[in-house]
Amino acid sequence: SSCCVVWKEILKFKALRCVYVDKTALVHKMAQEGNYYFLSRPRRFGKSLLISTLSAYFEGKRELFQGLAMEQLEQEWRVHPVLRLDLNTEKYDSIDSVDKKLDREFRIWENQYGADPAETTLPMRFEGIIQRAYEKTGERVVILVDEYDKPLLQAISDKSLQDEYRATLKSVYGALKSMDGCIRFALLTGVTKFSKVSVFSDLNNIEDISMNPSYYDICGISGQELHDVFDEEIGELAKVNGQTREEAYAMLEQRYDGYHFAPDTPGMYNPFSVLLTLKNQQYGSYWFSTGTPTYLVELLKEVDMNPTELSGYEASASELDSVHIKVDNPIAVLYQSGYLTIKGYDRSVRLYTLDYPNEEVKEGFMSFMMPFYTPISQNASPSFVGKFVREVRNGKVDAFMQRLKALMADTPYELIRDLEVHYQNVMFIFTKLMGLYVQAEYRTSRGRIDLTIGTDRYVYVIELKLDGSAEEALAQINEKDYALPFAVDGRETVKIGANITSETRNLERWLVEY
């Protein structure tokens, strides 16, 4: 069986079955319509497998494409020399880490195509390798760089080390332009696109297809592909989890769909999470658990960007396009790394609306942020939220208000810069996590309620007053008719007014009105 198709996973159910999602028509389109490409996609989205597919195609391995779109589209199957550079397989923590990695790869190519002692620098050696590969084979060279940005991301908190890596990579990647006549095709992939004034300044002939609608589905699994290719496995998933097939599809969409890499394009499913869900026959947080956004959460706090600002954030194309070496705005990194995605586009003002792609990312990101704003650890937050939700469902007001008090208790002073903003952030994170289990936010025409929770039996309308009184909070609920939208829906409305004091930095007391 072929190892070069864009998606392959062996799923162990009643029998062994190889499953393919055929992206080779897009691969052929890339090869025929351009020469130099850059593609940014989140981790675990299949960039390396795309590189493998391109490598096999340009090496003329026709037998690997039997039954795929490429078999009918390609007629020539010319064999090109392929130089594949994978920068993902190294720990970049010293000043010569990049030099050593490139030297090792260049030595392998020089053993194959020859070396010139006069070539004493890495850029000179790369140029020489490209030229000799072309002269030796009579075919122009294909260059595939996987995770081009790994060294820069690894050193993102060390400016001097990152500057060193940037200078080295910039000079080496510059060989692609100087040796243009010897190159048939080049693709650089990565998670982030660092700004053109840095790594890409010498590559003004490269086409960035990261937000090109024609290639929105070059990596990932579309909804149509999920139905066409994995219907049998999803039937098994549904059976094991006591669901109908339709419920299983709905759960997969809710948890793993929703990535948009261009405006007005269908959402893409996270392939890593989908395939592991089908393999394990269990819904889980597979993608989020493979990497932690510690740096990004710390950056949010450093630049005073509140978590409440991320959901629904409006960004220009230039803001999403690239990441500056000195990262002072986390939005581009959050978008390019997959924690935020495009959810809308206003063409009149050319602004993108961003939000969390799906439940897996939102749940993981909120749980991860919890210990940065509260004394609740990341591991304990699901348990804490679960117990709170159970008390809410059972109408135990004092119990869940005590738990809310515990959420705000013992918060270190260093976590709090502005007390009111801090509690807004705490409540935002908490309600987002609760929203996975119950309806945790409402809006009314008379204003924004601090916290409204809906279950099948109750609607809780909660107003919090900073340095006010519980009486004032309850009065505001009544004066602004916050409970009015729920008066006729058959559920019992519970109004709770509570106050927070600056002195204790916590809930002081609350009043309940049914």
Side-chain angles (χ1 to χ4, degrees), residues 62-325:
R62 183 174 185 173
E63 69 280 3
L64 297 180
F65 292 85
Q66 290 181 8
L68 303 176
M70 182 70 79
E71 185 180 29
Q72 304 301 320
L73 293 170
E74 182 57 51
Q75 303 300 318
E76 294 186 350
W77 293 100
R78 299 176 69 168
V79 179
H80 295 269
V82 175
L83 303 178
R84 179 173 177 176
L85 177 62
D86 184 357
L87 293 180
N88 195 45
T89 57
E90 188 68 43
K91 182 180 180 181
Y92 299 97
D93 56 1
S94 63
I95 199 165
D96 59 350
S97 294
V98 173
D99 291 50
K100 287 180 177 179
K101 172 66 175 177
L102 294 174
D103 176 68
R104 184 165 62 249
E105 297 296 327
F106 289 3
R107 286 178 183 274
I108 294 172
W109 296 336
E110 285 167 341
N111 288 335
Q112 186 174 1
Y113 298 112
D116 184 344
E119 297 164 359
T120 56
T121 66
L122 289 171
M124 290 172 63
R125 289 171 65 190
F126 195 30
E127 290 175 341
I129 290 166
I130 294 170
Q131 182 173 346
R132 285 186 294 274
Y134 171 55
E135 293 172 348
K136 185 173 181 179
T137 64
E139 293 286 350
R140 288 193 294 162
V141 181
V142 172
I143 299 170
L144 305 173
V145 182
D146 199 5
E147 305 291 359
Y148 91 98
D149 56 342
K150 179 67 179 292
L152 300 175
L153 289 173
Q154 204 77 1
I156 202 164
S157 59
D158 187 332
K159 186 179 183 304
S160 61
L161 191 59
Q162 193 182 66
D163 286 344
E164 188 72 26
Y165 292 166
R166 176 177 58 84
T168 298
L169 293 172
K170 177 183 174 183
S171 62
V172 170
Y173 294 147
L176 273 67
K177 183 175 180 181
S178 62
M179 300 305 296
D180 178 69
C182 300
I183 297 174
R184 163 64 180 86
F185 182 93
L187 172 66
L188 283 74
T189 73
V191 171
T192 55
K193 180 187 176 185
F194 282 91
S195 62
K196 292 182 179 179
V197 296
S198 54
V199 180
F200 288 128
S201 58
D202 292 336
L203 290 176
N204 55 12
N205 59 341
I206 196 166
E207 179 184 357
D208 182 2
I209 60 172
S210 304
M211 297 180 69
N212 187 329
S214 298
Y215 295 101
Y216 79 91
D217 57 345
I218 188 69
C219 291
I221 299 174
S222 70
Q224 190 62 53
E225 289 166 340
L226 191 71
H227 282 76
D228 291 346
V229 181
F230 295 103
D231 190 64
E232 179 181 331
E233 285 72 31
I234 292 171
E236 292 288 341
L237 175 71
K239 183 178 179 181
V240 169
N241 287 274
Q243 299 172 305
T244 65
R245 192 182 297 262
E246 290 72 24
E247 288 171 338
Y249 273 112
M251 180 67 78
L252 289 169
E253 180 179 3
Q254 180 180 334
R255 288 199 61 80
Y256 309 124
D257 189 19
Y259 293 88
H260 297 266
F261 303 109
D264 303 322
T265 56
M268 297 299 295
Y269 286 75
N270 184 315
F272 185 76
S273 292
V274 167
L275 293 176
L276 283 178
T277 297
L278 298 181
K279 180 181 179 181
N280 298 333
Q281 298 184 329
Q282 182 176 347
Y283 303 100
S285 296
Y286 298 107
W287 179 81
F288 196 91
S289 64
T290 62
T292 54
T294 305
Y295 168 76
L296 291 173
V297 176
E298 290 174 345
L299 183 61
L300 287 174
K301 294 183 70 67
E302 182 182 323
V303 302
D304 285 329
M305 179 173 279
N306 300 320
T308 57
E309 299 177 56
L310 299 182
S311 182
Y313 187 95
E314 290 188 314
S316 65
S318 60
E319 197 171 355
L320 299 183
D321 180 62
S322 58
V323 177
H324 292 280
I325 293 297

Side-chain angles (χ1 to χ4, degrees), residues 273-477:
S273 292
V274 167
L275 293 176
L276 283 178
T277 297
L278 298 181
K279 180 181 179 181
N280 298 333
Q281 298 184 329
Q282 182 176 347
Y283 303 100
S285 296
Y286 298 107
W287 179 81
F288 196 91
S289 64
T290 62
T292 54
T294 305
Y295 168 76
L296 291 173
V297 176
E298 290 174 345
L299 183 61
L300 287 174
K301 294 183 70 67
E302 182 182 323
V303 302
D304 285 329
M305 179 173 279
N306 300 320
T308 57
E309 299 177 56
L310 299 182
S311 182
Y313 187 95
E314 290 188 314
S316 65
S318 60
E319 197 171 355
L320 299 183
D321 180 62
S322 58
V323 177
H324 292 280
I325 293 297
K326 183 184 181 302
V327 181
D328 54 9
N329 184 343
I331 293 300
V333 185
L334 283 164
Y335 165 70
Q336 293 179 14
S337 55
Y339 295 103
L340 295 177
T341 195
I342 297 169
K343 291 296 184 179
Y345 182 59
D346 188 337
R347 295 185 182 277
S348 65
V349 291
R350 291 179 288 184
L351 287 177
Y352 296 88
T353 300
L354 307 181
D355 212 329
Y356 303 102
N358 50 47
E359 188 178 280
E360 179 191 19
V361 176
K362 181 169 68 174
E363 177 184 15
F365 200 71
M366 292 298 155
S367 293
F368 191 82
M369 281 198 292
M370 184 74 88
F372 288 81
Y373 294 90
T374 76
I376 310 300
S377 71
Q378 182 188 0
N379 291 335
S381 65
S383 171
F384 185 93
V385 172
K387 291 174 182 177
F388 185 96
V389 168
R390 185 170 60 194
E391 290 160 355
V392 166
R393 284 176 172 160
N394 293 330
K396 297 182 178 180
V397 176
D398 282 339
F400 72 69
M401 288 300 291
Q402 286 288 353
R403 196 171 295 280
L404 188 59
K405 187 174 183 177
L407 178 71
M408 297 179 176
D410 301 324
T411 304
Y413 279 100
E414 60 269 20
L415 291 184
I416 302 176
R417 297 181 182 180
D418 182 307
L419 187 62
E420 189 166 6
V421 171
H422 169 74
Y423 285 122
Q424 287 175 356
N425 290 332
V426 170
M427 295 311 297
F428 174 80
I429 294 168
F430 191 55
T431 55
K432 286 295 183 184
L433 284 170
M434 280 198 306
L436 301 170
Y437 308 97
V438 295
Q439 190 170 357
E441 292 178 288
Y442 290 93
R443 297 288 185 271
T444 78
S445 60
R446 301 293 300 276
R448 177 176 176 175
I449 307 168
D450 283 340
L451 178 59
T452 309
I453 310 169
T455 72
D456 59 341
R457 295 168 55 197
Y458 302 99
V459 175
Y460 300 92
V461 180
I462 305 172
E463 183 67 25
L464 306 174
K465 279 290 181 185
L466 178 63
D467 290 329
S469 67
E471 287 81 1
E472 290 172 335
L474 189 59
Q476 181 172 324
I477 294 174

